[in-house]
């Protein structure tokens, strides 16, 4: 009998991708016995009206650079190529139709993003097609999620990842303030961001 595919989808804006994301993906791969983790940079993020986000193509390319050396990681253009605002439910339903009913799909993202999930488009349908994995830093108040009315029907697994003390927001601020970012993200990603002037004050 063929083994059921266990596919992790690592959703994020990845502006930029950093070691916290990579460690979280590796942790999910092992903890949930996944066959591979596909990074899924958002095209036009649903909730980013308060700041300018780097272009989807830049974020996609930085994610490709960061994951290139790991045979268990891949990057998808699905959301980058889909016109309009990105909704996770559309992505997971498309993946469900590609991989069939037997595949086990896991959507991995930050716990803060998952805390808002009840306000996402068709969150109940999303829960039907996949298991959610919420990546947190240690010490995060996990009870915050369970206390939400309506959260009972969702399958959410929590995963603590110490490296998630690293954050994209902090990295962007550091670049703008000319503070060091070495060891927070792959050097080639930092070079790419520098070459394309993604986070300097001039942008
Ligand atoms: P966000 O609000 O920018 O991030 C919230 C927190 O989660 C931040 O601390 C962020 O840290 C962290 N985070 C984000 N992605 C992560 C990942 N893959 N692993 C670990 N931590 C992560 O969230 P976002 O990046 O815009 O969205 C996250 C995912 O949720 C995306 O796939 C997005 O499409 C989806 N989403 C869907 C809807 C919808 O369908 N309506 C609405 C909102 C979000 P960093 O900044 O360091 O990454």
């Amino acid at each position: 009998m063929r083994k059921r595919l266990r596919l992790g989808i690592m959703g994020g804006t990845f502006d930029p991708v950093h070691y916290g994301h990579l460690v979280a993906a590796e942790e999910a791969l092992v903890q949930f016995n996944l066959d591979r983790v596909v990074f899924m940079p958002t095209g036009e993020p649903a909730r980013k009206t308060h700041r300018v986000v780097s272009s989807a193509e830049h974020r996609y390319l930085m994610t490709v650079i960061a994951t290139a050396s790991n045979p268990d990681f891949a990057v998808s253009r699905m959301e980058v190529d889909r016109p309009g605002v990105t909704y996770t439910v559309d992505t997971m339903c498309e993946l469900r139709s590609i991989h069939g009913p037997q595949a086990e799909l896991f959507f991995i993202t930050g716990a803060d993003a998952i805390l808002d999930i009840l306000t996402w488009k068709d969150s109940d349908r999303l829960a039907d097609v996949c298991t959610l994995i919420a990546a947190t830093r240690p010490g995060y108040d996990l009870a915050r999620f369970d206390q939400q009315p309506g959260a009972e029907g969702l399958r959410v697994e929590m995963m603590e990842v110490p490296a998630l003390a690293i954050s994209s927001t902090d990295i962007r601020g550091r670049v703008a303030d000319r503070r060091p970012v070495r060891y927070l993200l792959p050097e080639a990603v930092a070079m790419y961001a520098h070459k394309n002037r993604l986070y300097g004050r001039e942008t």
Side-chain angles (χ1 to χ4, degrees):
M1 203 174 73
R2 255 181 71 193
K3 182 178 162 289
R4 292 174 78 178
L5 175 71
R6 291 173 69 84
L7 189 62
I9 305 300
M10 182 74 168
T13 303
F14 302 130
D15 193 19
V17 63
H18 53 64
Y19 281 129
H21 298 130
L22 296 169
V23 172
E26 183 69 17
E27 189 62 34
L29 186 81
V30 174
Q31 253 192 54
F32 295 89
N33 197 19
L34 306 178
D35 292 298
R36 62 180 184 277
V37 174
V38 177
F39 283 67
M40 184 68 71
T42 54
E44 192 182 316
R47 300 282 159 80
K48 289 290 190 297
T49 46
H50 56 290
R51 75 167 180 92
V52 176
V53 176
S54 304
S55 78
E57 207 60 44
H58 280 319
R59 293 182 287 101
Y60 167 77
L61 286 173
M62 288 190 282
T63 310
V64 169
I65 291 167
T67 55
S69 62
N70 188 331
D72 296 323
F73 290 172
V75 186
S76 170
R77 290 191 62 90
M78 187 179 279
E79 292 189 350
V80 169
D81 289 340
R82 188 190 305 136
V85 174
T86 299
Y87 294 109
T88 302
V89 67
D90 299 339
T91 306
M92 297 312 288
C93 288
E94 193 173 338
L95 288 166
R96 170 63 66 208
S97 68
I98 292 170
H99 295 288
Q102 292 303 316
E104 293 187 61
L105 302 180
F106 297 80
F107 181 72
I108 311 155
T109 196
D112 283 339
I114 287 196
L115 265 183
D116 278 346
I117 205 158
L118 295 171
T119 65
W120 293 11
K121 182 185 160 196
D122 295 341
S123 57
D124 47 345
R125 222 170 114 226
L126 178 62
D128 286 343
V129 277
C130 64
T131 300
L132 300 159
I133 301 179
T136 73
R137 67 196 76 82
Y140 190 92
D141 181 10
L142 303 180
R144 280 165 67 193
F145 186 81
D146 293 333
Q147 283 156 6
Q148 287 197 81
E152 310 81 30
L154 300 177
R155 280 173 291 161
V156 182
E157 302 280 349
M158 296 287 180
M159 180 179 73
E160 286 195 345
V161 181
L164 281 177
I166 302 172
S167 94
S168 300
T169 307
D170 177 56
I171 291 172
R172 291 193 304 273
R174 282 172 169 272
V175 173
D177 297 342
R178 299 176 189 275
R179 284 182 292 139
V181 294
R182 184 175 287 171
Y183 309 128
L184 298 177
L185 73 174
E187 196 163 349
V189 173
M191 296 297 289
Y192 180 96
H194 178 72
K195 180 176 161 186
N196 292 284
R197 300 178 180 202
L198 295 190
Y199 309 120
R201 288 226 181 278
E202 67 273 25
T203 56

